[in-house]
């Protein structure tokens, strides 16, 4: 029972973590809460669904396709909705982000209709594997495996590559990074591309897991992932991973011990409790002023 | 080498620079002195185009750079050691130096880094440490090493002596002269006018956003007005 719920929680939490990473990376660099991030996740789910249903590709190819599509989408959104407002007040950029979010979910409603769409039968072969007392499905393994691989890939990029180091430098000190000859606009585009790709993968995985893709799926998932990012400490990459896992596991255990009608409230309750004790989040640091 | 003509800069309603003009010749150390808030940092940031100018023109090696992006200016060979050092605190000493070499893709980056470590042996011992664990003096060395990693032709230094003990100030100024002797032109902003004038060839005095005096560094150092206002007499 315990092991079973733990696996369920980790699978759900991995997806929250994938989405939370996009919020935290973007915030880390331009101190903007990208409200449209949930809709990028939704778009990823639709692209994955279309690829599987129309082009009959397997789930892995669909994930890669959705990631590529959403990378471009994230870069374009930043270019037209945020970059022109870079020197304006924080509030203008935030309002622009909310606008993009509403625009994208309305667009999805127009194009795909209001009903949730399911993946075709056998899109991914689901088998149960017995481990001790728990039934672990191949679907959960897929989710945990893909998420873990993506997060390790991200960690490698951020720690070891030239552009990843430039991302860290830019999130520490924007102006000084420019003085190093770093093209900060390019770093920002790259950050949006990375975050959007992770959200897209999360979207396809969630679509397969719940067998439902709908125009408004980005809202709740986005809010919870945002809560996860804040819980872990907004701006901190390991924080987003930890926050996502914690929220996923608590949500599943909360439901298991009988609070299923409060399913969506659990994440926010935990968030409020942690912030009361540690306002910067679990792994967050004091937010330094960005000039 | 660098020619600044009639530059004006505003921060909102504040006029930080008005009609500032000066020039730097190849191979010189030029000092820029002035009281707090005179606009020295603003001048450096305007050259690097971190802060935009509202009027005027900056030319570097016969090319106008006024509207270039900051990273393009670095690529042309102008590098800045910003006020307060501004090392990347969470990144290691090595990574900080790598960021300094960001614009380069030649294969001499590693040997240049070795040279930095020879010049600043303390950085070598602390390669793997996050920069925030360094002392103030070590951070200043890191900030200078980092700026040198881009192989600048013109180095802008903003108050390198700030907050350092006299011994260390001597050492830093010694190093500035060495850097200059090895062919790098230097624009040096300093509160410590005494030290700055002692190593500079020429100097400009800035007062509330305007150049009020200029000339040979030795002559300025013996100018009674300058002695009274900046050399504490
Ligand atoms: N970001 C900013 N926003 C508004 N005003 C600013 C800003 N930066 C500088 N100023 C103002 O511009 C003027 C010049 O500032 P600057 O930092 O260039 O002076 P400085 O000569 O470098 O002084 P210090 O020796 O104290 O470093 C000052 O009046 C300062 O208050
Ligand atoms: Mg200054």
């Amino acid at each position: 029972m315990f092991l079973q719920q733990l696996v369920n929680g980790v699978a759900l939490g991995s997806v929250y973590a994938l989405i939370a990473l996009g919020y935290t990376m973007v915030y880390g660099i331009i101190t903007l809460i990208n409200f449209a991030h949930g809709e990028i996740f939704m778009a990823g789910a639709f692209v994955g669904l279309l690829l599987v249903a129309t082009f009959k590709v397997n789930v892995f190819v669909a994930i890669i396709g959705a990631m590529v599509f959403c990378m471009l989408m994230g870069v374009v959104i930043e270019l037209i909705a945020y970059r022109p407002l870079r020197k304006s007040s924080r509030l203008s950029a935030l309002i622009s982000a909310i606008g993009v979010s509403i625009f994208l979910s309305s667009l999805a409603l127009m194009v795909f209709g209001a009903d949730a769409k399911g993946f075709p039968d056998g899109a991914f072969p689901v088998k149960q594997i017995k481990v001790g007392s728990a039934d672990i499905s191949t679907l959960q393994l897929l989710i945990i495996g893909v998420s873990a691989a993506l997060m390790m890939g991200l960690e490698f990029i951020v720690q070891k590559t030239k552009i990843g180091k430039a991302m860290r430098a830019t999130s520490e000190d924007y102006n000084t990074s420019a003085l190093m000859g770093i093209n900060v606009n390019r770093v920002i585009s790259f950050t949006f591309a990375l975050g959007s790709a992770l959200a897209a993968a999360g979207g396809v995985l969630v679509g397969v897991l719940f067998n439902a893709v709908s125009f408004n799926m980005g809202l709740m998932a986005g809010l919870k992932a945002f809560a996860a990012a804040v819980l872990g400490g907004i701006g901190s990459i390991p924080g987003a991973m930890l926050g996502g896992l914690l929220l996923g596991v608590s949500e599943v255990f909360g439901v298991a011990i009988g609070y299923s009608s409060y399913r969506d409230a659990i994440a926010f309750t935990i968030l409020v409790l942690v912030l009361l004790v540690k306002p910067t989040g679990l792994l967050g640091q004091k937010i330094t002023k960005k000039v | 080498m660098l020619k600044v003509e009639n530059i004006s800069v505003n921060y909102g309603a504040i006029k930080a620079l008005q009609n500032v003009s000066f020039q730097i010749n190849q191979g010189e150390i030029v000092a820029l002195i002035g009281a707090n808030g005179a606009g020295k940092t603003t001048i450096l940031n305007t050259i690097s185009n971190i802060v935009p100018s509202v009027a005027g023109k900056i030319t570097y090696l016969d090319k106008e750079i006024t509207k270039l992006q900051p990273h393009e200016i670095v690529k042309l060979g102008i590098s800045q050691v910003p006020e307060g050092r501004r090392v990347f605190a969470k990144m290691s000493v090595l990574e900080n130096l790598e960021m300094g070499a960001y614009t380069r893709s030649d294969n001499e980056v590693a040997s240049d880094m070795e040279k930095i470590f020879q010049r600043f042996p303390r950085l070598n011992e602390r390669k793997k440490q996050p920069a925030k664990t360094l002392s103030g003096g070590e951070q200043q060395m890191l900030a200078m090493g980092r700026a040198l990693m881009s192989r600048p032709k013109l180095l802008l230094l903003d108050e390198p002596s700030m907050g350092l003990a006299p011994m260390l100030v001597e050492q830093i100024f010694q190093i500035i002269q060495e850097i200059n002797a090895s062919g790098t032109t230097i624009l040096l902003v300093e509160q410590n006018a005494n030290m700055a004038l002692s190593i500079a060839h020429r100097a400009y005095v800035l007062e509330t956003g305007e150049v009020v005096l200029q000339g040979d560094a030795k002559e300025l150092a013996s100018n009674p007005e300058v002695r009274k206002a900046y050399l504490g007499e």
Side-chain angles (χ1 to χ4, degrees), chain A residues 291, chain B residues 11 14 16 34-43 83 158-159 162 189 191 206:
Chain A
V291 189
Chain B
Y11 294 108
I14 300 170
N36 289 113
K40 306 179 297 293
T41 298
T42 304
I43 288 183
E83 185 173 17
D158 198 345
E159 302 205 31
M162 194 206 267
V189 162
Q191 289 278 338
L206 203 64

Side-chain angles (χ1 to χ4, degrees), chain A residues 240-257:
Chain A
M241 297 178 184
L242 179 68
L245 286 176
L246 274 180
L247 281 197
V249 170
S250 351
E251 185 176 320
V252 166
F253 275 94
V255 170
I257 59 175

Side-chain angles (χ1 to χ4, degrees), chain A residues 159 162-163 165-166 168-185 187 285 291, chain B residues 45 48 50 69-71 74 80 82 86-91 95-96 98-104 132 146:
Chain A
Q159 295 302 332
K162 190 165 174 178
I163 183 88
K165 289 175 192 175
R168 281 189 283 142
T170 308
S171 76
E172 272 202 54
D173 192 331
Y174 187 93
N175 279 345
T176 305
S177 298
L179 289 179
M180 297 299 110
I182 295 172
N183 182 344
V184 283
N185 279 330
V187 171
Q285 286 160 341
V291 189
Chain B
N45 282 338
S48 297
I50 293 288
Q69 298 265 311
H71 68 268
V74 178
Q80 189 189 141
R86 298 276 195 148
V87 294
F88 299 112
K90 291 184 225 163
M91 299 174 78
E95 287 173 335
N96 268 274
E98 286 172 13
M99 290 299 100
Y102 196 80
T103 51
R104 293 177 54 184
K132 66 178 166 202
R146 188 178 65 173

Side-chain angles (χ1 to χ4, degrees), chain B residues 107-212:
Chain B
N107 50 19
E108 289 172 23
V109 173
S111 66
D112 277 9
M113 206 176 282
E114 271 321 304
K115 284 186 202 142
I116 302 286
F117 285 139
Q118 276 161 23
R119 184 167 263 152
F120 305 109
R122 301 182 64 109
L123 296 182
N124 195 15
E125 294 156 23
R126 291 161 174 74
K127 258 186 221 174
K128 299 260 153 60
Q129 277 172 231
K132 66 178 166 202
T133 62
L134 300 185
S135 74
E138 290 159 359
Q139 288 189 12
Q140 185 61 51
M141 292 171 190
L142 178 56
M144 288 176 64
R146 188 178 65 173
L148 289 173
M149 283 304 293
S150 70
R151 286 199 170 169
K153 299 190 188 85
L154 173 62
L155 183 62
L156 315 176
L157 293 165
D158 198 345
E159 302 205 31
S161 74
M162 194 206 267
L164 302 183
M167 273 269 293
L168 214 52
V169 175
E170 292 274 352
Q171 198 190 335
I172 294 278
F173 275 79
Q174 181 64 43
I175 292 168
I176 294 172
Q177 284 180 296
E178 286 168 24
I179 294 170
N180 177 247
S182 64
T184 308
T185 308
I186 288 176
L187 176 58
L188 172 64
V189 162
E190 261 301 333
Q191 289 278 338
N192 190 338
N194 225 339
M195 287 296 279
L197 292 177
S198 76
I199 67 164
H201 303 108
R202 290 187 309 113
Y204 292 84
V205 179
L206 203 64
E207 240 169 56
T208 54
E210 292 176 80
V211 174
V212 292

Side-chain angles (χ1 to χ4, degrees), chain A:
Chain A
M1 176 64 193
F2 177 80
L3 183 63
Q4 176 79 63
Q5 298 299 353
L6 189 65
V7 174
N8 295 348
V10 169
L12 184 63
S14 315
V15 177
Y16 288 159
L18 282 183
I19 313 172
L21 283 164
Y23 281 108
T24 228
M25 289 193 291
V26 164
Y27 186 88
I29 291 210
I30 53 172
T31 54
L32 167 77
I33 293 160
N34 179 13
F35 264 98
H37 193 58
E39 276 61 46
I40 293 175
F41 158 86
M42 175 269 293
F46 271 111
V47 172
L49 175 64
L50 284 179
L51 288 174
V52 172
T54 315
F55 298 99
K56 316 285 180 225
V57 302
N58 72 40
V59 173
F60 295 100
V61 176
I63 290 176
I64 293 170
M67 287 173 76
V68 171
F69 180 88
C70 289
M71 270 187 179
L72 292 174
M73 189 172 155
V75 170
V76 170
I77 290 174
E78 191 272 329
L79 207 61
I80 60 184
Y82 305 150
R83 188 166 301 182
L85 297 170
R86 188 87 54 72
K87 299 217 159 65
S88 322
S89 77
R90 285 284 173 81
L91 193 61
S92 325
L94 202 63
I95 290 168
S96 183
I98 294 171
V100 174
S101 159
I102 295 172
F103 170 77
L104 290 174
S105 57
S106 311
L107 186 68
L109 176 62
M110 268 171 58
V111 176
F112 300 107
D115 301 330
K117 308 263 182 301
F119 275 77
D121 288 336
F124 183 76
V126 182
K127 285 197 210 70
Q128 302 291 332
I129 302 165
K130 213 150 182 71
V131 180
S133 61
D135 273 327
I136 295 170
S137 80
T138 46
L139 195 52
Q140 289 174 319
L141 290 181
L142 170 79
I143 292 175
I144 296 172
V146 169
S147 307
L150 288 175
M151 286 191 250
M152 283 191 279
L154 175 72
E155 195 59 17
F156 176 80
I157 291 175
V158 170
Q159 295 302 332
K160 300 284 183 225
T161 66
K162 190 165 174 178
I163 183 88
K165 289 175 192 175
M167 273 175 74
R168 281 189 283 142
T170 308
S171 76
E172 272 202 54
D173 192 331
Y174 187 93
N175 279 345
T176 305
S177 298
L179 289 179
M180 297 299 110
I182 295 172
N183 182 344
V184 283
N185 279 330
R186 190 177 298 163
V187 171
I188 290 168
S189 293
F190 183 76
T191 306
F192 271 84
L194 269 187
S196 304
L198 296 178
V204 181
L205 293 173
V206 164
V208 178
L209 177 67
F210 296 118
N211 201 19
V213 176
S214 70
F215 77 99
N216 60 0
M217 68 189 286
L219 182 63
M220 191 47 76
L223 279 176
K224 284 189 197 163
F226 175 62
V230 177
L231 175 65
I234 190 108
S236 156
I237 287 178
M241 297 178 184
L242 179 68
L245 286 176
L246 274 180
L247 281 197
V249 170
S250 351
E251 185 176 320
V252 166
F253 275 94
V255 170
I257 59 175
Y259 291 102
S260 57
S261 37
Y262 299 105
R263 179 172 195 131
D264 291 335
I266 293 170
F268 304 106
T269 311
I270 294 176
L271 178 67
V272 169
L273 290 179
V274 170
L275 291 189
L276 281 177
V277 184
K278 197 163 184 300
T280 53
L282 295 171
L283 303 183
Q285 286 160 341
K286 206 173 94 240
I287 291 168
T288 47
K289 191 173 120 271
K290 299 226 164 63
V291 189

